[in-house]
């Protein structure tokens, strides 16, 4: 399904209201919850409770009290992360089908999984506003929507805080990252995200919006892999005066 950008925004605003008759993943079974049937729900792999509190990486050595080795070494600019599901299993498949198959409705189960995780996550409940990881112009044109933006709207609604979809903007096209190390990815991502510049008219129209100064921001994305992009977003927000950045992703790779 291809949706125009504005229609996709409406879809994002109503993802949590859509009640499909059949499972959105397989379209053969009845829906049990989150737009999925019982068989597909079993294919969603949860993120275990012993994941890293900073980056949500799965560690597998009991409940951690401190950051994982990668976080201890690279010191991410965001303070904490939560994920709706593991990227392995149906979670990642839904992300891939939504993005590359341009199927915005697959955001329904992803948003549901993420909203459940965020509601049960103490740092998230203290957020003042929700921001999404921005998409490049080219990707938005190709897909017709930004999946992160579709997911962020229902999360903000669940938390009862404003969603600011245009806080951040991409600068140019990010370099291909596949062959880079974690540190190289982080360097490559730095500077690819900036705060959205607002015209005087936009500032006037949004005069009740005082900006991010002193705010605790919940940053939403569809997947967290190395955390390089989330880190670049957190850096821009903190430099603009945000007090704290927390990350909520539909899936953790
Ligand atoms: Zn199904
Ligand atoms: Zn970590």
């Amino acid at each position: 399904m291809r949706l125009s950008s504005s229609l996709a925004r409406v879809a994002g605003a109503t993802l949590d209201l859509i009640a499909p008759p059949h499972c959105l993943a397989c379209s053969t079974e009845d829906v049990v919850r989150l737009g999925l049937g019982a068989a597909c729900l079993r294919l969603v792999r949860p993120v275990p409770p012993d994941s890293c509190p900073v980056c949500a990486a799965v560690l597998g050595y009991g409940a951690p009290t401190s950051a994982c080795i990668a976080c201890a070494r690279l010191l991410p600019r965001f303070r904490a992360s939560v994920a709706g599901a593991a990227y392995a299993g149906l979670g990642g498949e839904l992300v891939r089908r939504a993005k590359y198959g341009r199927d915005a409705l697959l955001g329904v189960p992803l948003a549901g999984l993420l909203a459940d995780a965020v509601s049960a996550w103490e740092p998230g409940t203290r957020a003042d506003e929700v921001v999404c990881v921005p998409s490049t112009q080219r990707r938005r044109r190709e897909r017709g929507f930004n999946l992160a933006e579709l997911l962020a709207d229902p999360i903000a609604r669940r938390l009862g805080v404003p969603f600011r979809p245009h806080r951040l903007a991409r600068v140019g096209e990010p370099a291909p990252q596949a062959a880079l190390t974690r540190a190289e990815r982080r360097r490559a991502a730095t500077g690819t995200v900036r705060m959205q510049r607002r015209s005087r008219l936009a500032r006037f129209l949004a005069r009740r919006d005082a900006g991010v100064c002193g705010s605790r921001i919940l940053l939403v994305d569809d997947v967290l892999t190395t955390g390089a992009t989330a880190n670049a977003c957190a850096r821009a927000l903190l430099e603009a005066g945000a007090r704290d950045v927390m990350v909520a992703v539909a899936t953790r790779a």
Side-chain angles (χ1 to χ4, degrees):
M1 176 187 293
R2 175 138 201 201
L3 295 174
S4 74
S5 181
S6 54
L7 199 56
R9 200 160 306 137
V10 174
T14 52
L15 276 190
D16 50 350
L17 305 174
I18 292 170
H22 300 293
C23 174
L24 289 167
C26 70
S27 57
T28 58
E29 50 178 347
D30 291 339
V31 170
V32 175
R33 56 188 291 269
L34 309 178
L36 297 176
C40 287
L41 270 173
R42 280 195 292 275
L43 300 175
V44 175
R45 292 207 202 157
V47 174
D50 65 348
S51 58
C52 169
V54 179
C55 72
V58 178
L59 303 173
Y61 50 69
T65 50
S66 56
C68 72
I69 295 163
C71 287
R73 194 162 50 86
L74 286 169
L75 301 173
R77 302 293 298 268
F78 48 85
R79 190 167 64 81
S81 302
V82 73
Y87 188 77
L90 188 67
E93 189 190 319
L94 291 173
V95 168
R96 290 190 297 276
R97 283 169 55 187
K99 285 160 85 164
Y100 308 120
R102 298 169 178 171
D103 191 347
L105 276 182
L106 293 176
V108 171
L110 291 169
L113 288 163
L114 183 53
D116 285 353
V118 169
S119 319
W121 184 55
E122 199 268 335
T125 58
R126 284 188 273 133
D128 298 309
E129 71 172 47
V130 170
V131 167
C132 59
V133 170
S135 167
T136 65
Q137 295 275 6
R138 184 173 58 85
R139 286 204 187 130
R140 183 183 260 285
R141 261 200 310 276
E142 279 167 9
R143 292 180 190 147
F145 59 89
N146 172 10
L147 184 57
E149 185 179 335
L150 295 194
L151 300 175
D153 197 286
I155 304 305
R157 220 151 343 168
R158 181 77 74 96
L159 295 175
V161 298
F163 170 40
R164 311 283 189 202
H166 305 299
R167 277 274 187 249
L168 297 168
R170 290 275 186 169
V171 182
E173 296 290 328
Q177 298 201 336
L180 303 182
T181 66
R182 193 184 285 254
E184 284 167 347
R185 280 187 187 216
R186 191 161 138 158
R187 273 195 296 277
T190 303
T192 61
V193 178
R194 61 163 168 76
M195 299 299 289
Q196 180 75 269
R197 292 189 193 98
R198 291 190 294 179
S199 65
R200 283 176 62 192
L201 175 64
R203 285 202 298 273
F204 172 76
L205 292 172
R207 61 192 185 282
R208 281 181 301 164
D209 170 12
V212 294
C213 224
S215 294
R216 287 164 297 200
I217 312 280
L218 185 68
L219 176 71
V220 172
D221 204 358
D222 48 59
V223 59
L224 189 92
T225 307
T226 62
T229 305
N231 197 62
C233 293
R235 189 168 173 268
L237 290 162
L238 291 168
E239 283 174 2
R243 186 162 122 197
D244 222 350
V245 178
M246 295 151 300
V247 176
V249 288
T251 59
R252 180 64 167 97

